[in-house]
Amino acid sequence: MTHDGSTLREARHDWWGVVLEAPDARELALFYSRLLGWEIAKQSPEDAAIGPPEGVAYIAFQTSAGYVPPVWPAEEGAQRMTMHLDFEVVDLPAAVAHALELGAREADHQPQDNVRVLLDPAGHPFCLYTDG
């Protein structure tokens, strides 16, 4: 689909996103909303979604009573990571400090100098990185 900018964001039908399971969808939505500066677009005890002020992307969260956090790096017999989120930042140390203040924790294994792997409050790995 292509859009010339004349269609209001709310009227578009080409939304896309990812959905992460969590023990508490609203709590994880709040974490990522604060981390990214995105608005919470929807929330209930079962699910929540956040999105940027522009565009048609979103991250949604679904409460799952049997949620088991993935292990990073992978370990034999443990819940494997099936995806992760990447966010480019300008100042990596400042972005990491901000994420840690919000409740993330830094993973023990860091594979690259310009990337920091962190774990969100539900244990999902996500990366903050600088280009270059």
Side-chain angles (χ1 to χ4, degrees), residues 59-82:
I59 303 174
F61 309 91
Q62 177 179 312
T63 298
S64 174
Y67 173 75
V68 176
V71 174
W72 168 256
E75 294 177 9
E76 188 67 33
Q79 176 67 41
R80 297 186 69 93
M81 173 181 66
T82 58

Side-chain angles (χ1 to χ4, degrees), residues 25-41 43 49-52 59 61 87 89 94-95 97-104 121 126 128:
R26 292 186 297 184
E27 178 182 306
L28 200 56
L30 184 59
F31 168 80
Y32 279 104
S33 172
R34 290 177 175 163
L35 179 73
L36 302 172
W38 292 7
E39 295 180 13
I40 295 178
Q43 65 178 325
I50 64 169
I59 303 174
F61 309 91
F87 303 107
V89 299
H98 177 63
L100 295 174
E101 288 172 12
L102 295 174
F126 68 96
L128 301 177

Side-chain angles (χ1 to χ4, degrees), residues 69-75 78-84 105-112 115-119 123-127:
V71 174
W72 168 256
E75 294 177 9
Q79 176 67 41
R80 297 186 69 93
M81 173 181 66
T82 58
M83 63 157 286
H84 71 274
R105 63 187 194 279
E106 203 163 351
D108 291 334
H109 179 66
Q110 299 295 328
Q112 298 164 276
V115 177
R116 281 296 160 266
V117 180
L118 294 114
L119 306 173
H124 300 103
F126 68 96
C127 294

